[in-house]
Amino acid sequence: MQTILWNREEVLPRAKHLYESRIRSKIDLEENVGKMVIIDIETGDYKVDENGLHAADYLSAKHPNARLLHLRTGYKLAASLGSVIERFYK
């Protein structure tokens, strides 16, 4: 699979769309509050875990060059990519 280069302006809207359209309804459960959800923004694959590093390792093993975005579930979501921090909701 060819790696897609995403710029900052493309990453967050893509992640928000994936989260809202495919992921939120599956993971928005009481037992997931406070856990991390890691999203591969190219494939839409995701993993929920209490430890974001474990979830990221899982997705990285499936797709070694994945662009991963981290979100904490159950709260107003803040997305981080490297040192970039943006809020989905205000």
Side-chain angles (χ1 to χ4, degrees):
M1 172 187 274
Q2 182 179 356
T3 301
I4 300 170
L5 299 177
W6 300 84
N7 66 38
R8 177 181 171 180
E9 289 76 28
E10 295 171 318
V11 168
L12 293 172
R14 169 81 175 149
K16 182 177 179 180
H17 173 74
L18 287 170
Y19 181 78
E20 293 295 340
S21 66
R22 297 185 193 175
I23 301 169
R24 185 178 190 168
S25 63
K26 296 175 186 172
I27 67 165
D28 205 5
L29 307 169
E30 185 67 31
E31 65 261 19
N32 288 334
V33 170
K35 291 184 180 178
M36 297 297 296
V37 58
I38 312 302
I39 303 169
D40 180 337
I41 65 164
E42 293 177 5
T43 65
D45 286 350
Y46 67 93
K47 179 76 173 158
V48 177
D49 197 294
E50 288 188 21
N51 185 319
L53 293 176
H54 293 160
D57 287 345
Y58 172 83
L59 289 174
S60 292
K62 288 178 70 175
H63 307 286
N65 296 317
R67 286 291 296 268
L68 303 176
L69 190 96
H70 303 75
L71 304 171
R72 184 169 302 278
T73 62
Y75 302 103
K76 287 189 173 189
L77 298 176
S80 67
L81 179 63
S83 62
V84 177
I85 297 177
E86 299 276 341
R87 285 214 176 260
F88 280 157
Y89 305 102
K90 295 189 182 204

